[in-house]
Amino acid sequence: MSWQIGTVTWINGPVVRARGSRQVSMLELVEVGDEHLVGEVIGLEGDIITIQVYEETSGMRPGAPVYGTGMPLSVELGPGLLRSIFDGIQRPLPVLEMRSGSFIGRGIHLTPLYRKDRWNFTPQVKVGDAVTGGTILGTVPETPALEHRVLVPPDLEGTLTWVAPAGEYTIDEPIARLRTENGEQELTMLQRWPVRRPRPYRSRLAPTEPLITGQRVLDTLFPLAKGGAAAIPGGFGAGKTVAQHQIAKWADAQVVVYIGCGERGNEMTEVLQEFPGLVDPRSGRPLMERTVLIANTSNMPVAAREASIYTGITIAEYYRDMGYHVALMADSTSRWAEALREISGRLEEMPAEEGYPAYLAARLAEFYERAGYVETLNGERGSVSIIGAVSPPGGDFSEPVTQHTKRFIRCFWALDKALASARHFPSVNWLESYSEYVDDMADWWREQVDRDWQTMRGQAMTILTEESRLERIVKLVGPDALPDEQRLILETARLLREGFLQQSALDEVDSYSPVQKQIRMLDLILHFHQRAQRIIKRGALIVMIHDLPVVNKLMRMKTLVANDQLEKLDDIRRELDEQMDQLEAEYR
Amino acid sequence: MSEFIDRGGQEVIGVARVEGPIVVVDGVGNVGYDEVVEVFDSRGRVRRGRVLEVGEDVAVVEVFAGTTGLSIDDTRVRFLGQPLRIPVTEEMLGRIFDGMGTPIDGGPEPLADHYADINGQPINPTARVYPRDYIQTGISAIDGMNTLVMGQKLPIFSGSGLPHYQLAAQIVRQATLGAPVGETPSQAAEFVIVFAAMGVKHDVAAYFRNSFAESGALTRVAMFLNLADDPPVERLVTPRVALTLAEYLAFERQMHVLVILTDMTNYCEALRQISNIRGEVPSRKGYPGYLYSDLASIYERTGRIKTSTGSITQLPILTMPNDDITHPVPDLTGYITEGQIVLSRDLAYQDIYPPIAVLPSLSRLMKDGIGEGRTRADHSHLSAQLYAAYAHVQDVRSLASVIGEEELSTVDQKYLEFGRAFEREFINQGLTENRTIEETLTIGWRLLSILPPEELTRVSPDEIQQYYRK
Ligand SMILES: Nc1ncnc2c1ncn2[C@@H]1O[C@H](COP(=O)(O)OP(=O)(O)O)[C@@H](O)[C@H]1O
Ligand SMILES: [Mg+2]
């Protein structure tokens, strides 16, 4: 459904200008040229229309037609999103592959959601019910892992005049009819929503529970709240993508939206090949059943890369509105910012820092603002948590994208090149990283896991901070110059770093660490520290502590103790106490 | 070479502006973005270019061979109505071409029934096969610590004067499809080589040619040479021409293709030059904001796809200006490629060949290419342990420089010994020395055995039991 609104006058890569109708509106979806390439209006001046085109424009000529659609760039929402992989403008990549083969062709128009699937709909409303935006009309088992709740679109309200009986329907078939102020309206399981407009909710709630990732350094030291926003900055090879993959695999979210934004093709292939075989530790179902993938890799058109972030966040909000906790990963937000810069450059806009447009900060703010823990329109609680990777040039965090991002997130997981090259993963630097959610999460930890989490976390941080101060002295005079109490700090810090913080994504056992295990491991290391402190005060030498056989156990407990055999940690504790008792006896 | 020669197309006489390699042509109609043009000087000599930007009656054209000798009035420009395409055929193996794909070995134009757009098209991520078959290069620092996988893009980050060419040539000579320790490869994969030179000296091209000839590989090599004295703008086309042939060989002729691109820094400089002349807003160090996307359009043309048994493995070479790894060219490359092999001037001074700095080096595809059934079960732990130990060596060395070696603890003295041995015996090897994966792993364990077993927390107690030797 499109009609000609103008003709192309100028082409520069993904940016095209056309002369035509003054009726076209800003951000309207348009189609350009005989191939009907998808584009979006990004500027209007008199009768000149500026368009960013989401496909390669090679070969396009001035004089080519431009067609309007009267609609903004929107996504399709409905059952069938989970398990899918889309490009930045929500074209389903597997269908694209069937159409154009291994290489992505141009001008191929596809509906994002498959029309022929029949979904088992069970109504939850009846004729005569007054409904408003967000009311649950019924449910569909979208995947065995997730019940899809069919909602009244946010901007509608009225009285139901007809509701389909339980049964199988396609997403195009009506499932209810609604009498509204503007007449009767048919509702299907399919909705559209403009990607650049946040979906509404009733109210924002304070974050109270953590998004558990199974990664010790994150959960225990720098927790992210459900509904919160985190950034993972780091130079190339620091471990951003592996961290994002780990969170996508293990986070206790009900839905995961993973956006590969301007990154490698093989990384998306890896997810596609790995996730169906991995089981969610909570639902017991393959991870793919809760996952939506958006892939606009670095070699795919740059304007669609810009759109991919919005496509992803809108899908995330849609599941939030059903009352689910959604985690969204964007790898990498820097590539999205660069897409903005590239388009801006071709428009010859005035650049601000490092060639980025002046509105970079505003766009970042708008994006991260779409994270949140909310009361939905139907009174449920849902959340969108955002975890954005940042790829600073030269690994230097003083650059604009990192700096602006820092203003809009509350959890900063700074990855460190030196740690990564020593293969200390996750290379989260414990001195540079922070979480502003620690206090907010304290109640949850106290009630759900352990009374003393916040205290223990504080002690661990103190030891690690103290270590870095002592290391500076050691670099000048060697460790022998330190008194044994201080050398004990180095010893415990080593245990914390290697035995606790280090966590290999590749290890079968340790890839995911349940919170109970995390806290008990930390407790053991701190217990070691306290006992050793006492013994050293009495005159024992640090080497005696260092040589205790249990030290090696503490170093290896993360892999030695399976996640379902945490009682083995008690054995290690017993061993520790025995060995310490013995040593202590010698220094009575 | 040029398929479009007889196709006619729109012609304009006289241009509006000439600046650097760019000409601006007025009075055109119906010209397509990115289409090829032929530019004739007053004496009728032709050079090629392409459309960078097009308006209703004006086109901005980049002339590959530069604009020397072009005048405002006498220049003729012919627009050919399509993007740059080259013929692709297996017969291009064993041949030498210029940077645009025209034969320069005296032989005939390749006869092809197939022409391909040099820009290629992005591979659909769902059509890819995740690369997992490792390539044995016979070089310990690579096979043991940064394993190369068939279908990977793994650049060499070097500096001027370092032996990156020797290393690349050695990899090409020795590369075979890997097999688990104790087994021989089920299939002997023979690599074909596509070699693209951008702005390198004649003797570099000659070095590679001789090296291919000596190993009897010349019939399996296609060389595309844009040399130091060739037009810089042509460099922007050379890697794309080479990869277009590579894609044909890998994905339509089911071959395993190794692509060498050297030197990517020269490529990026040409891109910067064009961008600056056009007055584009620069990002870092004068390079255009789209350098990342542009490099990705080259590096991502690598991998494996479901519909072919072939593969493209890329070994781009770049020299880091001032040995600075944070310079935009290595930096953006590292953000796109699947790891990097970094060469170190320090090691080279100590006469260690190949002078691979293992700590900043990385192979992102290694994790799925090694281990049980691929190399050996302990490989991943062993390499993690070697990394951790060698990283500690660096700390010990700086401490030793302050307090003196004698003052170090006995354990730290062992680390120093390990560090020296690791550089001398593991990293260091002969130019023609071709180690099996088993030899590499054995050396690794022998060196780890210098350290007390309690230090080895990255390997399992069972592995220590089995391989640690005291
Ligand atoms: N948690 C981890 N456990 C084990 N290895 C890791 C981990 N994180 C990163 N790595 C290693 O580091 C490499 C680079 O990580 P990656 O996430 O791809 O970096 P980035 O996205 O920052 O460039 C990976 O290929 C892997 O070998
Ligand atoms: Mg990454």
Side-chain angles (χ1 to χ4, degrees):
Chain A
M1 248 195 320
S2 55
W3 50 93
Q4 186 165 350
I5 51 152
T7 47
V8 171
T9 58
W10 178 82
I11 304 137
N12 182 358
V15 178
V16 165
R17 291 218 169 91
R19 192 179 306 108
S21 158
R22 289 164 169 264
Q23 254 63 76
V24 177
S25 49
M26 192 65 178
L27 299 185
E28 179 170 336
L29 192 71
V30 294
E31 291 168 6
V32 188
D34 299 325
E35 291 176 293
H36 287 257
L37 304 185
V38 182
E40 185 183 12
V41 175
I42 55 169
L44 292 170
E45 197 182 334
D47 59 356
I48 299 297
I49 308 164
T50 307
I51 300 163
Q52 64 175 349
V53 182
Y54 292 124
E55 299 181 69
E56 176 57 51
T57 53
S58 189
M60 186 180 291
R61 292 155 198 276
V66 177
Y67 304 94
T69 65
M71 281 192 339
L73 178 66
S74 304
V75 285
E76 284 192 357
L77 302 169
L81 287 168
L82 295 176
R83 282 190 291 222
S84 293
I85 177 166
F86 301 106
D87 76 356
I89 50 170
Q90 215 198 1
R91 290 187 301 179
L93 288 172
V95 184
L96 208 52
E97 186 188 350
M98 289 190 304
R99 282 291 187 82
S100 74
S102 304
F103 297 87
I104 297 178
R106 292 199 304 179
I108 301 173
H109 288 252
L110 300 168
T111 55
L113 293 178
Y114 189 57
R115 290 300 193 271
K116 300 219 169 85
D117 279 339
R118 305 187 75 80
W119 300 94
N120 200 340
F121 174 76
T122 310
Q124 282 194 1
V125 288
K126 53 187 189 316
V127 173
D129 284 358
V131 297
T132 55
T135 305
I136 300 174
L137 293 171
T139 60
V140 167
E142 184 177 358
T143 66
L146 194 105
E147 176 189 86
H148 192 106
R149 299 172 185 154
V150 182
L151 309 176
V152 175
D155 37 17
L156 281 185
E157 61 180 308
T159 311
L160 290 168
T161 56
W162 174 79
V163 176
E168 299 207 323
Y169 302 90
T170 69
I171 53 173
D172 279 335
E173 285 170 341
I175 44 126
R177 266 197 296 276
L178 187 63
R179 192 168 52 238
T180 72
E181 281 186 355
N182 310 318
E184 192 147 77
Q185 188 131 3
E186 205 152 72
L187 301 178
T188 63
M189 287 188 264
L190 174 68
Q191 309 184 13
R192 286 196 181 73
W193 190 263
V195 295
R196 296 187 195 275
R197 209 172 105 207
R199 283 173 63 90
Y201 47 81
R202 197 176 284 168
S203 64
R204 240 171 214 278
L205 305 171
T208 52
E209 52 177 308
L211 182 81
I212 296 301
T213 64
Q215 311 302 301
R216 286 184 293 272
V217 64
L218 307 185
D219 295 345
T220 299
L221 290 194
F222 307 109
L224 171 62
K226 288 210 170 88
I232 314 183
F236 61 83
K240 299 177 296 296
T241 302
V242 174
Q244 299 260 38
H245 283 192
Q246 286 296 91
I247 299 170
K249 284 177 199 166
W250 309 125
D252 65 340
Q254 286 141 317
V255 173
V256 167
V257 178
Y258 190 99
I259 310 168
C261 174
E263 293 284 315
R264 304 179 183 85
N266 273 333
E267 290 174 346
M268 296 313 295
T269 311
E270 186 184 3
V271 172
L272 278 174
Q273 297 189 356
E274 195 180 15
F275 274 34
L278 286 174
V279 170
D280 177 3
R282 277 158 291 262
S283 71
R285 301 292 315 171
L287 282 174
M288 215 47 212
E289 293 184 358
R290 66 163 195 184
T291 308
V292 184
L293 299 173
I294 316 275
N296 213 94
T297 56
S298 56
N299 55 338
M300 284 158 74
V302 72
R305 187 199 297 172
E306 195 270 335
S308 66
I309 291 280
Y310 297 99
T311 298
I313 191 88
T314 308
I315 293 173
E317 287 173 341
Y318 175 65
Y319 282 99
R320 173 203 69 191
D321 291 346
M322 296 178 203
Y324 290 123
H325 294 297
V326 185
L328 175 137
M329 282 109 241
D331 187 11
S332 156
T333 60
S334 294
R335 306 302 166 219
W336 167 72
E338 285 166 10
L340 283 181
R341 174 169 72 185
E342 187 170 335
I343 304 285
S344 166
R346 299 205 193 242
L347 291 170
E348 295 177 1
E349 292 174 338
M350 236 350 226
E353 309 136 281
E354 294 189 19
Y356 287 105
Y359 47 79
L360 170 68
R363 293 284 170 86
L364 280 166
E366 281 163 21
F367 169 61
Y368 282 108
E369 268 307 291
R370 291 176 78 167
Y373 194 87
V374 305
E375 183 184 346
T376 61
L377 292 181
N378 54 28
E380 303 259 353
R381 282 168 178 234
S383 69
V384 173
S385 313
I386 297 183
I387 299 122
V390 183
S391 317
D396 176 1
F397 292 175
S398 67
E399 59 89 38
V401 180
T402 317
Q403 285 306 311
H404 288 307
T405 300
K406 260 184 139 164
R407 295 162 51 198
F408 312 121
I409 49 102
R410 292 181 60 200
C411 203
F412 191 70
W413 294 328
L415 302 190
D416 185 310
K417 193 106 215 181
L419 289 175
S421 53
R423 276 28 178 197
H424 172 115
F425 290 117
S427 70
V428 175
N429 180 311
W430 46 90
L431 300 175
E432 255 188 283
S433 302
Y434 59 80
S435 162
E436 294 174 7
Y437 298 108
V438 171
D439 292 338
D440 300 337
M441 299 302 113
D443 285 345
W444 183 91
W445 274 88
R446 190 175 307 120
E447 285 154 23
Q448 307 286 327
V449 192
D450 191 294
R451 215 164 38 121
D452 292 329
W453 166 68
Q454 208 172 357
T455 320
M456 288 196 259
R457 179 190 176 276
Q459 288 169 350
M461 287 303 289
T462 309
I463 293 171
L464 290 166
T465 313
E466 189 62 9
E467 180 201 29
S468 81
R469 192 182 66 84
L470 295 174
E471 278 297 342
R472 279 197 292 274
I473 302 175
V474 169
K475 282 213 174 84
L476 296 176
V477 294
D480 287 348
L482 296 180
D484 276 4
E485 289 100 84
Q486 294 191 337
R487 294 188 63 184
L488 173 65
I489 293 189
L490 298 183
E491 184 68 25
T492 308
R494 186 175 74 105
L495 274 178
L496 281 172
R497 283 187 285 108
E498 295 181 25
F500 186 79
L501 297 180
Q502 234 174 56
Q503 187 176 354
S504 171
L506 308 175
D507 190 273
E508 222 168 291
V509 174
D510 206 31
S511 180
Y512 169 76
S513 188
V515 274
Q516 276 75 13
K517 184 174 175 186
Q518 300 189 18
I519 201 75
R520 291 174 69 173
M521 284 172 62
L522 182 60
D523 185 36
L524 261 178
I525 295 175
L526 294 173
H527 182 60
F528 161 87
H529 186 68
Q530 277 145 13
R531 293 221 53 180
Q533 236 172 355
R534 239 180 28 227
I535 299 175
I536 282 181
K537 279 222 180 77
R538 295 196 180 159
L541 299 177
I542 183 72
V543 283
M544 297 172 166
I545 303 283
H546 177 90
D547 289 347
L548 290 178
V550 77
V551 172
N552 202 274
K553 278 264 172 71
L554 293 176
M555 208 65 111
R556 293 178 183 278
M557 63 185 160
K558 55 187 175 185
T559 50
L560 283 180
V561 177
N563 292 342
D564 54 359
Q565 300 181 330
L566 298 188
E567 64 284 356
K568 284 202 177 155
L569 289 170
D570 295 332
D571 300 343
I572 299 182
R573 192 183 179 101
R574 221 168 295 125
E575 253 175 80
L576 174 103
D577 279 327
E578 275 165 26
Q579 292 172 21
M580 290 283 185
D581 286 346
Q582 218 167 35
L583 202 56
E584 198 165 353
E586 290 173 33
Y587 287 88
R588 210 167 277 284
Chain B
M1 165 84 264
S2 323
E3 159 215 19
F4 36 74
I5 270 176
D6 321 312
R7 295 228 175 161
Q10 162 182 198
E11 200 166 295
V12 176
I13 298 178
V15 299
R17 195 151 66 88
V18 180
E19 191 182 357
I22 303 243
V23 297
V24 178
V25 192
D26 277 345
V28 299
N30 205 31
V31 166
Y33 172 69
D34 199 35
E35 80 174 62
V36 191
V37 300
E38 287 175 333
V39 180
F40 300 87
D41 66 12
S42 55
R43 292 157 66 185
R45 284 177 308 199
V46 64
R47 45 192 114 182
R48 268 178 291 164
R50 79 177 154 195
V51 175
L52 291 180
E53 181 179 333
V54 56
E56 274 173 304
D57 64 348
V58 53
V60 179
V61 172
E62 147 189 285
V63 184
F64 299 129
T67 53
T68 314
L70 294 184
S71 66
I72 295 281
D73 286 342
D74 295 334
T75 301
R76 264 189 310 134
V77 182
R78 194 151 88 192
F79 294 87
L80 296 164
Q82 60 185 354
L84 193 53
R85 308 203 305 166
I86 61 153
V88 283
T89 144
E90 264 177 69
E91 278 154 36
M92 292 167 80
L93 290 170
R95 302 288 310 273
I96 303 177
F97 306 88
D98 71 6
M100 301 280 296
T102 308
I104 51 170
D105 55 2
E109 293 269 340
L111 271 181
D113 46 339
H114 192 80
Y115 280 77
D117 179 348
I118 64 156
N119 295 310
Q121 286 177 317
I123 301 179
N124 188 329
T126 62
R128 284 183 183 268
V129 174
Y130 191 69
R132 299 195 66 165
D133 301 326
Y134 87 99
I135 295 174
Q136 181 178 303
T137 66
I139 296 163
S140 292
I142 297 178
D143 296 349
M145 309 288 283
N146 296 288
T147 320
L148 172 66
V149 170
M150 203 181 262
Q152 180 171 16
K153 38 192 181 290
L154 188 65
I156 298 174
F157 286 10
S158 188
S160 47
L162 294 178
H164 40 272
Y165 295 129
Q166 286 88 325
L167 177 60
Q170 187 176 6
I171 294 174
V172 169
R173 270 197 318 273
Q174 298 182 173
T176 55
L177 183 59
V181 166
E183 291 175 31
T184 41
S186 49
Q187 58 179 119
E190 189 154 83
F191 288 96
V192 299
I193 295 131
V194 173
F195 178 89
M198 284 89 72
V200 303
K201 297 208 187 71
H202 283 266
D203 50 353
V204 170
Y207 172 81
F208 275 99
R209 199 175 174 282
N210 290 338
S211 162
F212 298 145
E214 274 166 29
S215 57
L218 217 44
T219 53
R220 291 185 280 124
V221 183
M223 296 182 88
F224 295 88
L225 305 179
N226 167 283
L227 300 177
D229 50 5
D230 286 331
V233 185
E234 233 176 71
R235 269 159 225 172
L236 300 178
V237 172
T238 308
R240 296 187 164 83
V241 169
L243 285 163
T244 302
L245 175 64
E247 279 173 349
Y248 170 79
L249 297 174
F251 301 143
E252 284 174 50
R253 313 303 309 169
Q254 328 281 321
M255 296 178 176
H256 291 300
V257 188
L258 255 177
V259 180
I260 311 251
L261 305 172
T262 184
D263 179 324
M264 289 306 291
T265 304
N266 295 337
Y267 169 88
C268 295
E269 268 167 21
L271 197 71
R272 172 168 69 177
Q273 188 198 350
I274 293 282
S275 172
N276 292 356
I277 288 170
R278 296 183 66 199
E280 292 173 338
V281 180
S283 59
R284 281 172 76 221
K285 293 212 156 90
Y287 289 92
Y290 50 79
L291 180 58
Y292 176 84
S293 301
D294 188 280
L295 284 173
S297 74
I298 294 173
Y299 296 141
E300 276 288 319
R301 293 172 80 172
T302 311
R304 310 190 72 156
I305 58 175
K306 290 185 218 154
T307 52
S308 166
T309 54
S311 64
I312 299 181
T313 307
Q314 269 197 39
L315 287 177
I317 299 170
L318 60 86
T319 45
M320 300 181 279
N322 290 320
D323 293 350
D324 177 9
I325 198 169
T326 68
H327 181 279
V329 175
D331 191 51
L332 294 179
T333 297
Y335 270 121
I336 301 164
T337 53
E338 284 144 349
Q340 65 279 338
I341 302 292
V342 184
L343 301 193
S344 141
R345 205 167 289 280
D346 258 9
L347 291 178
Y349 281 147
Q350 296 170 51
D351 239 4
I352 287 168
Y353 172 89
I356 294 177
V358 294
L359 294 181
S361 296
L362 168 70
S363 163
R364 293 164 192 268
L365 300 188
M366 172 176 182
K367 59 183 180 358
D368 297 299
I370 63 169
E372 189 157 16
R374 298 191 171 275
T375 53
R376 202 171 70 187
D378 59 307
H379 188 166
S380 142
H381 287 170
L382 170 64
S383 75
Q385 184 65 67
L386 288 168
Y387 267 112
Y390 189 57
H392 186 63
V393 168
Q394 313 304 316
D395 295 338
V396 176
R397 280 179 180 165
S398 65
L399 183 60
S401 70
V402 178
I403 64 172
E405 262 186 50
E406 321 71 50
E407 295 297 314
L408 293 174
S409 68
T410 29
V411 173
D412 279 353
Q413 293 189 8
K414 288 286 179 199
Y415 271 102
L416 282 190
E417 187 188 337
F418 163 81
R420 280 187 293 263
F422 183 71
E423 286 162 1
R424 291 273 148 223
E425 295 167 39
F426 189 90
I427 300 178
N428 191 39
Q429 66 184 84
L431 252 174
T432 53
E433 186 180 351
N434 189 355
R435 296 182 186 155
T436 65
I437 186 71
E438 184 169 20
E439 282 165 346
T440 291
L441 299 179
T442 304
I443 300 173
W445 274 106
R446 176 160 57 76
L447 301 181
L448 278 185
S449 303
I450 294 173
L451 300 170
E454 310 82 69
E455 288 294 309
L456 308 183
T457 54
R458 300 294 186 98
V459 290
S460 74
D462 289 347
E463 286 161 346
I464 293 183
Q465 182 77 26
Q466 189 170 359
Y467 298 109
Y468 187 85
R469 311 190 325 193
K470 252 291 126 75

